[in-house]
Amino acid sequence: MANYHRIKFLKEVEGLSQREIAKKLGISRNTVSKYLKQKEAPTTLIRQRSYGKKEYSEETKRVLPIIDQWLADDQKSWVKQKHTAARIYQRLVEDYHFKGSASNIRKIVAKRKPSHQEVFIPLEFQFGHQFQFDWGEADIILQGRKQRIYLFCLQVSASRLRFVRAYTHEKQEAFLDGFVHAFEFLGGVLTEGLFDNLKTAVMKLLKGRDRLEQETFLALQAHYGFKATFANPRKGNEKGRVEGTVGYTRRNAFVPCPDVQSMDELNDDLLDWCLKEAKRKTVPHTSETVAQVWAKEKRTLRSLPETAFEACHLVSCKVNPLSLINIETNQYSVPCGYVGQAVWAKKFVDRVIIVAQNQVIAEHPRSYERFKMFTHLDHYLDVLLKKPRAIRDAHPFHSPEIPEVFRRFHQKMREQEGADGDRKFVRLLLLHRELGMKRLTQAIQKAEEKQIFRYEAVHEIIQEMTNDVIVTDLPSEKAPDVLRNYKVDQANIRQYGQLLEEVRT
């Protein structure tokens, strides 16, 4: 540009010839002639346009339509599974016997790729309208051991508020439980949710945008009153809000790796992190924080239903002769009266509830170990009355939930009374249904202190405990005014005497 200015000035203002200009500036006369013929100044844009008009060789022209077709086809493929320039060159050599260089192909691909790139539209969401959901993964230190956990990530599209909760799996019960906690965190429900085509929500992809949804997921939508929409397959950019949340959470909330003793502790920390981030981060293109914008959006949400959704996966089971049902390789006990019957098991994230004839018959903590057995002693007491000898070796009798004093007391009764000791001890255990395990344990402990190991002795102690009622006067200063001022008239027994005389006459 500087040379162009000097040449034009010397020619048009000072009137020098091309030879004189070339000699004065120390450049070629051809260069002077070229600049004087130009009608436009050689700006960067003009130079790029000028130097970019390079003619390709016949060999390169032959493969240009092929390269364009491959790049166009890539727009329909998964973003992580597209042609690279190196792969294009390799295919051209192997399949089309291309004789050109790899560097030439790299330049061609770099120049032609932008014309095939997908165009996106900036979006602005209405308050209370949409949230986006996705699963993520992260590593933590749980009770001293490294473990991979799964992140339930939900983001409100308008205000950018995040909710993150951790689970040890991505099963349907975790998927449903996440929404129960998310809506409680939000304090209301938005109109629409945008999802991937995950199996816990979608049974089958239909034509276009239609989906055959999971029955339990439809029940969740009906309970909270929102509608699910689904992104196109392999189109994560359609829910870009939450896609960014997954990576942001992993890089910020999980670096360094959290060291926790329980998932509850981790989730409490994540909840605090979400609230702090809302106060710290600003909404793009505004000067307000996420928390400030969320305060406005929250007023547009619909109210939560009176009861929370029952976030469980329902499965049918048959009770085997050991009065156990099988759930994911683990076994859980039910009352022995249901042996041979079909029951329903509700698998929650943290517990298993067994139901028969619309009644809850058993409840156990959920286990994610394999091939474990979980039993309650009460489920077997009725059959132990018929088979009392089995009490010593019964699996539920050795559960950590049973106090050690019970096993010591049974051993003494068995030594003193033999088979009768087994039978009477089972009768003793049945008393917990009326007293509760705590009071029964206290009675057995008192009997052990007295070194009396008989059913009758424990029964007498229980009677003393249940009949020992302490009556105390209510202090007058704590009594209600109505009670303090209440007066009872003394009965007049003469009226009864008159009635008796009338009867005799």
Side-chain angles (χ1 to χ4, degrees):
M1 180 63 76
N3 283 338
Y4 176 77
H5 173 261
R6 292 192 195 104
I7 291 169
K8 296 283 284 185
F9 185 84
L10 292 173
K11 177 67 177 176
E12 297 177 1
V13 177
E14 296 188 8
L16 299 181
S17 66
Q18 292 185 15
R19 182 186 296 274
E20 292 172 330
I21 294 172
K23 185 177 180 179
K24 186 172 184 177
L25 297 180
I27 59 177
S28 168
R29 278 186 296 169
N30 292 335
T31 302
V32 175
S33 176
K34 183 183 71 172
Y35 279 136
L36 289 176
K37 291 178 182 178
Q38 287 184 1
K39 296 181 180 180
E40 295 180 276
T43 61
T44 302
L45 182 62
I46 296 297
R47 293 200 303 274
Q48 287 180 348
R49 195 189 318 164
S50 167
Y51 297 134
K53 295 179 180 179
K54 180 181 179 182
E55 190 71 19
Y56 292 119
S57 67
E58 293 299 322
E59 178 69 0
T60 302
K61 288 180 181 179
R62 180 174 67 89
V63 297
L64 284 179
I66 301 171
I67 295 173
D68 287 338
Q69 184 61 50
W70 287 348
L71 293 175
D73 291 342
D74 277 351
Q75 300 307 310
K76 305 173 186 177
S77 302
W78 186 26
V79 67
K80 297 181 181 180
Q81 198 169 338
K82 295 185 178 183
H83 281 89
T84 62
R87 178 57 181 155
I88 288 176
Y89 174 73
Q90 184 183 15
R91 288 190 64 188
L92 290 175
V93 171
E94 294 176 355
D95 300 339
Y96 296 91
H97 308 290
F98 179 65
K99 303 300 182 183
S101 66
S103 61
N104 190 33
I105 294 299
R106 286 197 298 270
K107 294 175 183 177
I108 291 172
V109 172
K111 188 180 296 183
R112 301 177 91 83
K113 255 189 177 182
S115 62
H116 294 280
Q117 285 185 346
E118 186 176 357
V119 180
F120 301 102
I121 302 170
L123 302 176
E124 184 171 345
F125 295 92
Q126 300 175 358
F127 279 173
H129 178 64
Q130 189 195 76
F131 66 84
Q132 298 179 10
F133 164 79
D134 199 7
W135 282 109
E137 296 181 7
D139 287 337
I140 64 169
I141 305 298
L142 182 61
Q143 296 180 355
R145 298 178 62 184
K146 193 171 185 179
Q147 180 171 333
R148 176 66 53 88
I149 53 98
Y150 301 89
L151 303 176
F152 177 100
C153 298
L154 182 146
Q155 183 164 19
V156 181
S157 299
S159 62
R160 312 294 181 99
L161 182 70
R162 295 185 175 100
F163 172 79
V164 182
R165 186 172 177 83
Y167 294 93
T168 56
H169 56 78
E170 295 178 310
K171 296 177 181 179
Q172 191 176 61
E173 48 268 37
F175 175 67
L176 301 173
D177 185 75
F179 284 104
V180 173
H181 286 89
F183 291 139
E184 289 177 357
F185 173 75
L186 299 178
V189 184
L190 294 98
T191 303
E192 180 183 282
L194 183 58
F195 298 82
D196 272 333
N197 299 282
L198 61 170
K199 292 182 180 180
T200 50
V202 176
M203 294 178 62
K204 185 178 181 181
L205 297 176
L206 303 178
K207 186 176 181 180
R209 297 182 180 180
D210 293 334
R211 304 288 187 272
L212 180 60
E213 298 177 46
Q214 292 279 3
E215 182 177 304
T216 310
F217 183 51
L218 287 171
L220 176 78
Q221 295 177 56
H223 186 85
Y224 286 105
F226 73 92
K227 181 182 179 182
T229 58
F230 299 91
N232 289 312
R234 300 183 298 277
K235 287 292 183 179
N237 60 279
E238 294 183 0
K239 51 182 184 60
R241 292 277 198 275
V242 75
E243 290 281 349
T245 289
V246 172
Y248 183 85
T249 301
R250 185 165 44 236
R251 293 187 299 270
N252 291 273
F254 288 85
V255 177
C257 199
D259 190 347
V260 295
Q261 294 301 309
S262 69
M263 293 298 290
D264 288 338
E265 179 186 347
L266 175 62
N267 284 321
D268 289 341
D269 293 342
L270 283 174
L271 203 60
D272 291 339
W273 179 81
C274 290
L275 294 172
K276 290 176 181 177
E277 284 291 302
K279 295 177 181 177
R280 188 180 68 85
K281 299 287 287 185
T282 57
V283 177
H285 313 298
T286 73
S287 59
E288 295 180 297
T289 65
V290 170
Q292 290 171 333
V293 178
W294 169 245
K296 301 175 186 177
E297 182 170 12
K298 189 174 182 179
R299 294 194 289 266
T300 66
L301 303 188
R302 295 192 314 282
S303 300
L304 291 171
E306 293 182 0
T307 59
F309 182 74
E310 196 172 42
C312 65
H313 183 203
L314 193 65
V315 294
S316 178
C317 305
K318 187 174 181 179
V319 183
N320 66 22
L322 295 175
S323 199
L324 299 168
I325 61 170
N326 292 289
I327 299 177
E328 297 174 350
T329 76
N330 291 321
Q331 294 183 312
Y332 300 88
S333 70
V334 300
C336 57
Y338 292 92
V339 167
Q341 297 186 26
V343 296
W344 290 99
K346 295 181 177 181
K347 299 190 298 180
F348 292 83
V349 169
D350 57 349
R351 65 194 188 280
V352 174
I353 295 179
I354 299 101
V355 179
Q357 289 86 45
N358 295 323
Q359 292 184 343
V360 175
I361 61 173
E363 181 172 349
H364 296 269
R366 176 81 178 270
S367 174
Y368 292 102
E369 298 183 75
R370 293 178 63 79
F371 304 107
K372 299 293 183 180
M373 183 188 297
F374 303 92
T375 55
H376 284 326
L377 181 59
D378 184 71
H379 295 164
Y380 296 90
L381 290 180
D382 293 328
V383 72
L384 281 171
L385 281 174
K386 302 175 183 178
K387 302 178 180 180
R389 185 176 180 179
I391 183 62
R392 183 188 64 182
D393 303 314
H395 179 274
F397 188 53
H398 294 278
S399 167
E401 299 177 358
I402 304 300
E404 186 62 32
V405 66
F406 280 74
R407 286 181 278 274
R408 294 197 303 267
F409 203 87
H410 169 250
Q411 181 64 29
K412 291 295 183 180
M413 289 185 67
R414 188 185 184 96
E415 291 174 359
Q416 293 179 6
E417 302 184 63
D420 284 341
D422 289 335
R423 187 176 297 104
K424 290 180 180 179
F425 183 74
V426 174
R427 289 174 55 199
L428 195 62
L429 292 175
L430 281 167
L431 294 176
H432 91 278
R433 294 180 179 177
E434 301 175 9
L435 298 173
M437 185 59 76
K438 182 178 179 180
R439 301 193 74 177
L440 180 58
T441 303
Q442 293 173 350
I444 291 178
Q445 287 173 339
K446 288 183 178 181
E448 186 183 46
E449 291 171 2
K450 297 178 180 180
Q451 291 295 298
I452 303 175
F453 301 98
R454 296 197 312 274
Y455 172 84
E456 295 77 11
V458 177
H459 199 272
E460 290 178 3
I461 293 173
I462 291 172
Q463 286 183 326
E464 293 176 3
M465 292 172 59
T466 55
N467 293 330
D468 188 11
V469 181
I470 301 174
V471 180
T472 58
D473 294 332
L474 181 67
S476 59
E477 62 272 10
K478 293 185 179 180
D481 293 338
V482 176
L483 186 60
R484 285 202 304 267
N485 299 328
Y486 189 76
K487 304 295 183 183
V488 180
D489 294 334
Q490 187 174 4
N492 186 0
I493 60 174
R494 292 180 180 178
Q495 295 177 357
Y496 297 98
Q498 293 175 0
L499 289 172
L500 289 173
E501 290 179 0
E502 291 177 0
V503 171
R504 290 168 183 170
T505 57

